[in-house]
Amino acid sequence: MSATVTEAARPAVVRRTPEPLFSRERRSTILCLILVLLTLAFYNSVVHNGFTNMDDDVYITSNANVRAGLTWETVKWAFTSFDAANWHPLTWLSHALDYQLFKLNPAGHHYVNVLLHGLNAILLFLLLESATGLTWPSWMVAALFALHPVNVESVAWAAERKNVLSMLFFLLTLLAYGWYARKGGIERYAMVAGLFAVGLMAKSEIITLPFVLLLWDYWPLERMPVLSSQFSVLRKRHALDAGTGAVVARSFSFLVLEKVPLFLLSMGSAVMTMLAQNAGGAVHDSTPRRVGNAIVAYVRYMGKAFWPVRLANYYPHPGLLLPTWQVVASAAVLVVLTAWVWRWRSHRYLVVGWLWFLGTLVPVIGLVQVGAAAMADRYAYLPFIGLFICVVWGIAELVSKTKMGAAWVGVPAVLILLTLGTLSSRQISYWRDSVTLWKHALRLTERNYVAHWALASALAEKDQSEEAIAEFDAAESLHNYVALDRVAIAAYKRNHGHVQAAIEEYGRALEVSPDSKTRAIVLSRLASAYMQTGDFKQAKASCASGLKENPNNASALVDSGLLAERDGDFEFAAGQFSHAMKVAPTDVGYLLLGYALRRAGHMSDAQEAYGAAQRISGDFVQAQQSAAQLLATAGVNAE
């Protein structure tokens, strides 16, 4: 027998196809990690930012319910409150949890926003990849979403937690809907409805989700009967590879009826929002100027999507009707783009992306004006996803048809993302503090009375009184403030040595006072200012007028008593102080009453008044000093 082994006797060599370096799941995991790293890298500087006076006080720093932390009382308040002219219990509870964890350390509050934003980018990537079967276009859309500087406002602004939080549940709902579309089942539909309901409790802006789901049925799920395309074939192949199965086509009427419960949730949220906004006085009547501004705003939003510069935290509403040419030109742009999308409607991603952008902006575009801004960067957080889909999928299709090399696409894509990330990092720096934020807004906008007022308030907190007064004056030159706002400005001017300017301010407040109660308040403050200048004749006249408007105005009663003491009429002064203490008892008021009674010879009554002052005072020494100062202002010796 031959020592050599024959070919037939040799064991067969099994040739295996080498496995790819990265499986689909591993590649997706790596791409998710890259999204997180990019987000953290470009947003990390947010930890150096503080709170701002752009509602951070309302939502966090000065909100007693939020600062109580997560308690049952906080939960009850969150679900029943219309604070900040909104109903969003999940947002309130999120802020309460942040306060319990971080107290008033702004870095913690900010970083939670960043983490939520990064998670949203991951969910967007996974959503698009699972629905379309295309990894790189899905990732690019998510990366644009993560790094686009328009989204900085939603992330770097602590009080805008509601935007990133509602988006989280919006995307989770879409993911759950894809599961339901493939598998069916009432329990899966219940999950869709439940996630949507929770998202609405974070922010009502996502009420357009049922409309988005219909678009999602059209593409990429293709639950509506459609002709197969290159992308639909890829999607079905991906579904088979993943073992998830393909969706079943349904009639349009079925798809609409299927979403009736979701539309009802949207209606309920809209009603709650309108009730909250009306309670907070934030809703303004719709007028033709709102329609014109909405049309122009659509085009301005598109401009910021493709050229994201000159981004401000507040864009003032033009107020009057916009120039006709602006409205007509903007309407023409929208009509032309819509016609172009219709012309290429066989590319269904164009239809979906364009209608996503148009539709999700409707609740915030200003047809029913809420607040006074013409537009806001935060409102683009959800709508811009539609534009990103249009652009990225369009480029992906072009690359597929032209067989363009990866470098011709990859290099520009990387440069675009790095540019957007750099712009975002710079935009984050403008949110460092209130002064920086509002000065930036004033550099970029015109006739921005809101920015002037907010900057004045921020400067006042820093004891930069002269600069603050200049900004208050600038704000007043652009806006007709209500009487009590003017009273606040006058008080600030008076307390910082500008008494004559304060008197003039009180005069302007008096001119716009809507009722007797408000006029009494203004006149009493005016009397105090006149006393401070030594014009006691005018002070008496203002006091008398104030008491004529409202005989129970405590401030006017106190000023009247001080002026009576100056004239030596201690009995009348005691009567005025006594009346004031029945209306609004204070430790200072009781001390003034005691001084007047003592001078009138009623020693026992005076001792009783002193005792009342001590009982209700939190700082009796400070109260004594304040009373002595008021007497001195009226020219009366407290001894």
Side-chain angles (χ1 to χ4, degrees), residues 284-299:
H284 302 278
D285 293 335
S286 298
T287 64
R289 68 182 180 184
R290 307 292 181 200
V291 176
N293 180 73
I295 293 171
V296 173
Y298 267 114
V299 177

Side-chain angles (χ1 to χ4, degrees), residues 281-611:
V283 177
H284 302 278
D285 293 335
S286 298
T287 64
R289 68 182 180 184
R290 307 292 181 200
V291 176
N293 180 73
I295 293 171
V296 173
Y298 267 114
V299 177
R300 290 182 67 191
Y301 277 119
M302 284 191 293
K304 292 183 183 299
F306 294 99
W307 194 251
V309 296
R310 299 183 63 80
L311 304 179
N313 63 309
Y314 188 87
Y315 304 99
H317 197 283
L320 301 176
L321 286 172
L322 288 164
T324 303
W325 71 266
Q326 284 190 21
V327 179
V328 171
S330 298
V333 169
L334 295 176
V335 169
V336 168
L337 286 174
T338 302
W340 182 81
V341 168
W342 177 252
R343 164 65 180 80
W344 296 98
R345 61 189 179 277
S346 59
H347 305 265
R348 290 180 174 256
Y349 60 84
L350 288 175
V351 177
V352 170
W354 180 242
L355 293 182
W356 178 311
F357 168 69
L358 294 179
T360 56
L361 262 176
V362 168
V364 292
I365 200 62
L367 294 174
V368 176
Q369 186 69 22
V370 176
M375 58 186 293
D377 291 352
R378 61 188 176 276
Y379 294 156
Y381 194 64
L382 170 60
F384 273 16
I385 293 174
L387 295 181
F388 297 155
I389 287 173
C390 286
V391 173
V392 172
W393 251 260
I395 293 174
E397 186 169 16
L398 178 64
V399 169
S400 176
K401 287 181 177 179
T402 59
K403 307 299 183 182
M404 190 181 298
W408 289 100
V409 182
V411 172
V414 169
L415 291 176
I416 287 171
L417 293 178
L418 290 177
T419 301
L420 292 177
T422 302
L423 290 173
S424 290
S425 183
R426 187 178 69 175
Q427 192 67 22
I428 289 167
S429 68
Y430 299 133
W431 288 84
R432 184 173 297 273
D433 55 53
S434 299
V435 172
T436 305
L437 180 67
W438 292 110
K439 282 186 176 180
H440 176 66
L442 288 171
R443 281 194 298 270
L444 301 182
T445 60
E446 297 178 355
R447 301 186 61 79
N448 196 336
Y449 71 88
V450 171
H452 281 296
W453 181 281
L455 177 57
S457 301
L459 290 168
E461 287 185 5
K462 291 179 174 290
D463 293 326
Q464 298 177 23
S465 58
E466 296 302 318
E467 295 92 334
I469 289 171
E471 292 299 329
F472 278 129
D473 289 341
E476 282 192 285
S477 70
L478 298 171
H479 183 68
N480 294 320
Y481 283 97
V482 298
L484 294 181
D485 285 339
R486 293 180 181 274
V487 167
I489 296 174
Y492 185 81
K493 289 180 177 180
R494 179 185 163 198
N495 292 336
H496 290 83
H498 296 260
V499 183
Q500 191 57 46
I503 290 172
E504 294 171 4
E505 194 71 60
Y506 286 129
R508 290 190 287 270
L510 195 59
E511 292 174 1
V512 296
S513 295
D515 50 46
S516 293
K517 184 177 180 180
T518 305
R519 285 192 292 274
I521 293 171
V522 177
L523 287 163
S524 69
R525 303 291 193 277
L526 187 57
S528 298
Y530 277 127
M531 276 195 285
Q532 194 170 344
T533 64
D535 191 343
F536 297 107
K537 181 179 179 181
Q538 287 288 357
K540 286 181 182 180
S542 296
C543 250
S545 298
L547 289 172
K548 186 176 180 180
E549 295 286 350
N550 179 9
N552 292 319
N553 182 280
S555 295
L557 287 166
V558 168
D559 287 338
S560 176
L562 290 169
L563 291 167
E565 275 201 88
R566 173 182 171 77
D567 293 340
D569 192 346
F570 302 118
E571 291 285 353
F572 183 77
Q576 295 296 85
F577 291 139
S578 179
H579 187 176
M581 292 308 94
K582 291 175 183 176
V583 174
T586 65
D587 50 0
V588 174
Y590 273 117
L591 284 173
L592 293 173
L593 174 59
Y595 295 151
L597 288 169
R598 188 186 67 186
R599 288 189 169 104
H602 306 294
M603 301 304 295
S604 60
D605 291 337
Q607 289 301 320
E608 186 177 336
Y610 292 146

Side-chain angles (χ1 to χ4, degrees), residues 51 188 230 386 421 534 562 593 606:
F51 294 115
R188 296 182 181 88
Q230 172 193 356
L562 290 169
L593 174 59

Side-chain angles (χ1 to χ4, degrees), residues 127 130-132 174-185 188 216 221 223 235 238-239 242-248:
L127 169 69
S130 65
T132 67
L174 275 172
L175 279 164
Y177 183 74
W179 185 38
Y180 160 76
R182 290 188 295 269
K183 299 290 188 180
R188 296 182 181 88
W216 215 240
L221 296 185
R223 296 183 73 202
R235 180 188 59 75
H238 171 68
T244 56
V247 298
V248 178

Side-chain angles (χ1 to χ4, degrees), residues 122-132 171 174-175 216:
I122 290 173
L123 290 175
L124 180 58
F125 164 56
L126 296 176
L127 169 69
L128 290 168
E129 187 188 39
S130 65
T132 67
L171 295 170
L174 275 172
L175 279 164
W216 215 240

